[in-house]
Amino acid sequence: MEDTEGNIHLRNLSLTTVSNEEDALNALFIGDTNRMIAETPMNMASTRSHCIFTIHVTARSPGSATVRRAKLHIVDLAGS
């Protein structure tokens, strides 16, 4: 959805801050359980929604002022 100022707003979008692998996997599993599943002629348990899981990693070595950042997008398209 786009507002009058041109900003994009997505329904059911969530942002979760985690600090370890276990919490990140839990966030992924929660998102997966919220997806719509329905039967199609080709697939008895087809996903009916897209899923985008984005991981932002920020790291700094002890005693260093240098901050390293990375971003990874994992995308699962509906019906795939």
Side-chain angles (χ1 to χ4, degrees):
M1 303 169 81
E2 189 172 336
D3 65 18
T4 57
E5 297 177 8
N7 298 311
I8 303 295
H9 300 275
L10 302 174
R11 282 181 280 152
N12 301 321
L13 178 69
S14 62
L15 175 65
T16 305
T17 301
V18 298
S19 58
N20 58 55
E21 179 184 356
E22 182 180 356
D23 291 344
L25 285 173
N26 285 334
L28 178 63
F29 294 142
I30 289 169
D32 189 53
T33 59
N34 290 331
R35 296 184 75 188
M36 297 291 286
I37 306 285
E39 182 178 324
T40 67
M42 299 286 289
N43 187 343
M44 298 296 281
S46 177
T47 56
R48 307 310 307 153
S49 60
H50 302 310
C51 179
I52 302 172
F53 189 72
T54 302
I55 302 169
H56 297 262
V57 178
T58 303
R60 182 180 311 167
S61 297
S64 173
T66 302
V67 176
R68 295 178 186 218
R69 292 183 173 90
K71 185 188 312 185
L72 172 67
H73 298 287
I74 302 171
V75 179
D76 184 10
L77 299 178
S80 59

